[in-house]
Amino acid sequence: MDLVPALEEPLRQPLKSVLGPATAKVMAEHLGLLTVGDLLHHYPRRYEERGQLTHLADLPMDEHVTVVAQVADARLHTFASAKAPRGKGQRLEVTITDGSGRLQLVFFGAGVHKPHKELLPGTRAMFAGKVSVFNRRLQLAHPAYELLRGDPEESVETWAGALIPIYPATAKLESWKIGKAIQTVLPTAQEAVDPLPDTLREGRGLVPLPEALLKIHRPHTKADIEDARSRLKWDEAFVLQVALARRRHADAQLPAVPRKPAPEGLLTAFDARLPFTLTDGQQRVSREIFDDLATDHPMHRLLQGEVGSGKTMVALRAMLAVVDAGGQAAMLAPTEVLAQQHHRSVVEMMGELAEGGMLGGAEQATKVVLLTGSMGAAARRHALLDLTTGEAGIVIGTHALIEDKVQFHDLGLVVVDEQHRFGVEQRDALRGKGKQPPHLLVMTATPIPRTVAMTVFGDLETSVLDQLPAGRSPIASHVVPAADKPHFLSRAWERVREEVENGHQAYVVCPRIGDEEDDPKKSGKKKSPEDEAEKRPPLAVLDVADQLTKGPLQGLRVEVLHGRMHPDDKDAVMRRFAAGETHVLVATTVIEVGVNVPNATAMVIMDADRFGVSQLHQLRGRVGRGSAPGLCLLVTEMPEASPARQRLGAVASTLDGFELSRIDLEQRREGDVLGQAQSGARTSLKVLAVIEDEEIIAEAREEATAVVANDPELTRLPALRTALDALLDEEREQYLEKG
């Protein structure tokens, strides 16, 4: 919301720089802060009181933290090393305390002299560094620090009670340096133009924006912080919801061709050949979709469901309904493996109904074609022709569907599988291939709490499938602490053998492929002690497969699958695994979504702490898809008390994806909710917490809808219009809307 020239002034410019050029450069490159306004909207993560100390027991592993603590003791050790063979190497170990817990700081070599003089027992300071584990204890290697000395002018009480803002920082720029930079630009906060309409702000008793900015960066009391946060949360929620409301408003104006399935057509024939009855949830959601398809403006619906709840079946019935009504349907999958798998399962489910124009095809049949980047030229030509003539009613493909050469006869429905894998432009390009805007169904297997759906998928109507089809088996999940209890890992491999002996199959998932060349940025550089203190690299598919074949799984047929294999090879591996010819598949997360092998009953996830909660839940959903119970083992070397272990414990304790998505969200930074990696823009959520602030989001949505209904172009609210432009450039506004 960089609203006025003073706030739009760059932090870094050739002639006069608001900050020193080095600081401005780090802020731009590492924190994405380019203007005075950006810096003013870089809010403190939390506040420490000088007289109080941080709770050291709760520090997150592997994160850059800032703590306020007191030095308990400092010891200088000498040691021999390759660089200092005569025992002249020096290591300073400093223990800091918060009165209950302790944390070790370590400094090496020439870096020991200054801290050795300054960090005397009893000294209070702010320390910043990355938390790692060494000898099973938490430590900060080579932290930056700032001594907390009372200003001689201040009384002890004022000094001890002062609130110290702790800013989101990086290894290159500590919190206290960011704080000093913000104090430099804070006077310009007076010029911030308020995006909230006066009636809304006064009606809700919110402080003006300039006052909120002053209070968040320089609070005198905890009440100041509360006032500022309440106000800034409303800014974020409201401006975001206005963007979404404008998008909904625009979409409601678009025309679309209503698609009603023909009586006794393809859909009826398909339903008649199903060997099972649809769940109540599938029937309910199908009705919601068919009602939308029958209207004359485009459907925008999000279909979210538990792993294995039968979303593909619901999507296929929607596609058949559109084909019945004379249109075509396209399904966009994120990977070739998934596109091929979807194509195979759709053709199998449809049987002779998928053999349109072929001998033996049923009377109502259509053609189902596959289109991927790696297809041969002849097959590709065939597929393109079938789409142009309308011979193919259903096409399933990867982003190859989006290319200019691809023309449809009459595209009526676009189904996007696993929406978080696609950028907006890709989806738009596909939707642009219809004569009129096609209907859109977005599927996600990551259950999304209601407020997140309201925030991220603001224009999509949401349908939820929360019941599993009959015949699905429960999945038992356990954490395997490989470092504490190595015999647990040996037992895990025995369990895999037992599953194979009982006629089943297993997956082993690793975070890395293992044929990566060394990162050019890292090679040639001398490693800092902090890097040395880093953990080992994540386990890799190729290494693990090799070790298992020679060791605990010797004699079993083990194959590997990863994203850099040739598509034909990937498909061949998947076919052999699906046919039961391979016992164990060692893979990266390419198997995360949509892979369906009912005979696979066990999954071992190596370095499970390197995956996110929803990713683990997705992976686990690949087993237990048949009648035999599933088993998922989460292998980790993280210590018992670490947050990573608690996260794995949470995954092991529940199969409820909605519960897990809540946990996931509470543990991740809020900004991730908007998937900033996908939009390329900086996150817009800084103080709004989508789980806790459900009420504000719901109220902001109502207010925004009313504002947009009265004034869609916001002509009477120029400050809000400016705030919107700053938050959402054109691309980001579309990104938000399309989820």
Side-chain angles (χ1 to χ4, degrees):
M1 293 167 216
D2 318 340
L3 307 176
V4 293
L7 269 66
E8 283 169 10
E9 203 166 303
L11 294 171
R12 178 186 178 192
Q13 50 190 10
L15 298 173
K16 64 180 183 95
S17 196
V18 177
L19 304 173
T23 307
K25 183 171 187 257
V26 173
M27 284 191 171
E29 288 175 6
H30 293 271
L31 295 167
L33 306 175
L34 307 174
T35 65
V36 170
D38 289 344
L39 186 52
L40 286 175
H41 287 288
H42 188 71
Y43 308 132
R45 178 173 281 162
R46 58 188 165 81
Y47 301 84
E48 295 287 6
E49 286 183 64
R50 275 210 173 95
Q52 292 184 343
L53 298 166
T54 310
H55 200 50
L56 296 178
D58 299 337
L59 293 182
M61 277 293 301
D62 270 352
E63 275 194 28
H64 208 82
V65 299
T66 303
V67 298
V68 175
Q70 188 163 350
V71 176
D73 65 53
R75 295 200 178 102
L76 192 60
H77 302 274
T78 53
F79 59 91
S81 71
K83 289 179 190 159
R86 296 199 189 124
K88 294 281 177 61
Q90 290 194 308
R91 181 175 79 248
L92 176 67
E93 288 178 4
V94 178
T95 306
I96 57 172
T97 178
D98 60 358
S100 58
R102 288 175 163 244
L103 179 66
Q104 181 107 20
L105 314 178
V106 57
F107 300 88
F108 295 97
V112 304
H113 306 307
K114 187 167 175 270
H116 190 219
K117 280 208 292 273
E118 294 182 335
L119 297 179
L120 304 171
T123 310
R124 278 170 192 255
M126 282 196 279
F127 300 93
K130 194 172 188 184
V131 183
S132 56
V133 171
F134 184 71
N135 277 348
R136 308 180 60 74
R137 285 162 67 193
L138 292 181
Q139 75 162 21
L140 295 181
H142 270 271
Y145 62 88
E146 173 95 330
L147 301 179
L148 292 176
R149 302 189 177 98
D151 186 319
E153 306 294 303
E154 282 182 305
S155 71
V156 174
E157 286 74 31
T158 332
W159 184 83
L163 292 161
I164 308 170
I166 305 288
Y167 289 93
T170 74
K172 299 266 192 303
L173 197 64
E174 294 86 21
S175 168
W176 50 89
K177 290 183 182 164
I178 296 170
K180 284 172 186 164
I182 286 173
Q183 294 304 332
T184 311
V185 301
L186 203 50
T188 52
Q190 294 301 341
E191 300 179 45
V193 178
D194 207 322
L196 292 190
D198 293 345
T199 47
L200 189 158
R201 188 172 57 73
E202 288 157 12
R204 295 188 176 272
L206 299 167
V207 300
L209 182 58
E211 187 183 327
L213 290 170
L214 286 171
K215 283 183 167 175
I216 197 127
H217 291 298
R218 198 184 275 167
H220 294 298
T221 62
K222 289 183 178 165
D224 283 354
I225 301 171
E226 276 316 298
D227 284 354
R229 288 177 69 84
S230 303
R231 163 60 216 245
L232 296 167
K233 279 181 179 190
W234 254 96
D235 274 22
E236 288 180 8
F238 181 70
V239 176
L240 197 54
Q241 291 299 340
V242 166
L244 294 165
R246 293 188 69 219
R247 189 77 194 173
R248 281 197 300 279
H249 183 82
D251 281 340
Q253 316 304 311
L254 292 173
V257 179
R259 309 280 180 175
K260 292 181 185 163
E264 303 307 311
L266 184 57
L267 180 62
T268 314
F270 175 75
D271 284 349
R273 54 167 289 145
L274 280 181
F276 51 82
T277 48
L278 298 174
T279 64
D280 296 346
Q282 285 174 317
Q283 290 177 0
R284 172 179 44 77
V285 170
S286 288
R287 278 195 300 276
E288 291 169 354
I289 291 171
F290 291 157
D291 289 349
D292 281 359
L293 290 173
T295 60
D296 55 9
H297 56 89
M299 162 172 85
H300 289 103
R301 193 167 277 281
L302 173 70
L303 170 57
Q304 52 167 323
E306 268 301 0
V307 179
S309 57
K311 291 180 299 298
T312 312
M313 172 60 71
V314 170
L316 175 56
R317 292 184 75 243
M319 293 197 287
L320 295 174
V322 168
V323 174
D324 254 355
Q328 290 169 293
M331 181 187 257
L332 194 54
T335 63
E336 294 212 352
V337 167
L338 201 49
Q340 286 161 339
Q341 175 115 8
H342 274 319
H343 180 255
R344 262 205 303 280
S345 60
V346 163
V347 169
E348 275 166 26
M349 284 195 275
M350 288 176 64
E352 72 270 16
L353 295 173
E355 295 170 0
M358 291 188 254
L359 282 171
E363 184 192 341
Q364 305 93 329
T366 185
K367 218 177 208 180
V368 181
V369 301
L370 175 69
L371 191 62
T372 64
S374 64
M375 282 168 76
R380 191 181 175 77
R381 243 192 336 271
H382 249 299
L384 291 174
L385 188 63
D386 285 343
L387 289 183
T388 314
T389 58
E391 184 90 6
I394 294 176
V395 58
I396 296 168
T398 54
H399 47 259
L401 281 175
I402 294 162
E403 291 169 11
D404 293 342
K405 291 196 277 292
V406 181
Q407 301 294 325
F408 287 86
H409 177 66
D410 179 14
L411 181 61
L413 170 68
V414 173
V415 178
V416 179
D417 187 20
E418 284 304 311
Q419 89 299 331
H420 60 276
R421 305 298 181 90
F422 286 100
V424 176
E425 308 76 34
Q426 294 170 309
R427 252 169 309 187
D428 257 8
L430 187 53
R431 283 172 69 183
K433 290 183 180 292
K435 294 192 175 74
Q436 279 193 310
H439 298 281
L440 175 70
L441 180 65
V442 172
M443 298 199 296
T444 172
T446 310
I448 302 164
R450 181 174 150 261
T451 39
V452 185
M454 258 190 326
T455 310
V456 186
F457 303 102
D459 72 327
L460 297 175
E461 295 296 326
T462 304
S463 294
V464 178
L465 276 176
D466 48 12
Q467 115 198 71
L468 294 185
R472 276 295 159 85
S473 302
I475 305 169
S477 306
H478 304 284
V479 178
V480 177
D484 307 354
K485 299 177 177 164
H487 59 288
F488 275 37
L489 184 57
S490 312
R491 176 72 189 117
W493 301 126
E494 284 170 22
R495 284 290 290 113
V496 169
R497 267 192 180 286
E498 287 163 17
E499 290 298 312
V500 173
E501 280 159 15
N502 289 331
H504 298 301
Q505 293 159 278
Y507 298 99
V508 177
V509 182
C510 306
R512 213 161 55 89
I513 296 172
D515 61 354
E516 298 88 344
E517 290 181 16
D518 284 340
D519 187 337
K521 289 183 197 150
K522 289 179 190 163
S523 57
K525 270 195 187 175
K526 185 163 105 243
K527 281 197 170 180
S528 71
E530 188 171 344
D531 289 335
E532 295 290 356
E534 274 284 40
K535 297 181 304 191
R536 59 163 176 73
L539 290 170
V541 164
L542 300 176
D543 304 341
V544 168
D546 189 48
Q547 288 159 16
L548 292 176
T549 317
K550 292 173 181 162
L553 301 186
Q554 200 170 2
L556 300 187
R557 287 193 295 281
V558 177
E559 289 208 67
V560 299
L561 180 70
H562 57 74
R564 282 213 290 275
M565 288 165 64
H566 187 279
D568 291 349
D569 297 340
K570 275 193 277 197
D571 196 38
V573 168
M574 271 319 296
R575 278 176 190 275
R576 284 194 293 274
F577 190 64
E581 293 165 23
T582 305
H583 295 138
V584 179
L585 188 61
V586 183
T588 56
T589 53
V590 289
I591 61 153
E592 180 186 347
V593 287
V595 171
N596 184 22
V597 179
N599 191 43
T601 52
M603 176 176 285
V604 181
I605 302 179
M606 306 304 290
D607 279 343
D609 47 274
R610 313 270 178 140
F611 299 97
V613 169
S614 54
Q615 205 173 20
L616 291 169
H617 184 55
Q618 279 296 317
L619 287 165
R620 169 171 64 184
R622 301 304 111 214
V623 295
R625 300 178 80 84
S627 52
L631 172 68
C632 179
L633 301 174
L634 307 167
V635 179
T636 177
E637 292 186 358
M638 297 305 274
E640 197 161 356
S642 63
R645 271 286 281 279
Q646 289 161 10
R647 203 171 67 231
L648 295 179
V651 175
S653 67
T654 177
L655 291 171
D656 180 341
F658 285 92
E659 176 56 30
L660 285 174
S661 67
R662 264 190 108 81
I663 293 169
D664 193 18
L665 207 57
E666 282 161 3
Q667 292 189 334
R668 290 189 313 173
R669 294 192 313 282
E670 289 293 342
D672 296 348
V673 172
L674 296 188
Q676 62 223 79
Q678 214 188 34
S679 71
R682 296 193 307 279
T683 167
S684 57
L685 295 194
K686 297 189 177 81
V687 284
L688 191 70
V690 287
I691 292 277
E692 292 157 35
D693 298 323
E694 185 161 351
E695 219 169 282
I696 294 178
I697 292 168
E699 288 172 17
R701 185 182 169 103
E702 276 175 38
E703 295 270 13
T705 307
V707 164
V708 170
N710 290 331
D711 182 5
E713 291 304 310
L714 308 179
T715 39
R716 296 190 292 282
L717 296 166
L720 174 57
R721 175 78 247 192
T722 316
L724 201 60
D725 293 343
L727 173 73
L728 314 168
D729 49 37
E730 196 56 34
E731 174 200 28
R732 183 158 169 80
E733 184 164 358
Q734 290 178 354
Y735 154 74
L736 272 169
E737 261 326 65
K738 289 169 192 148

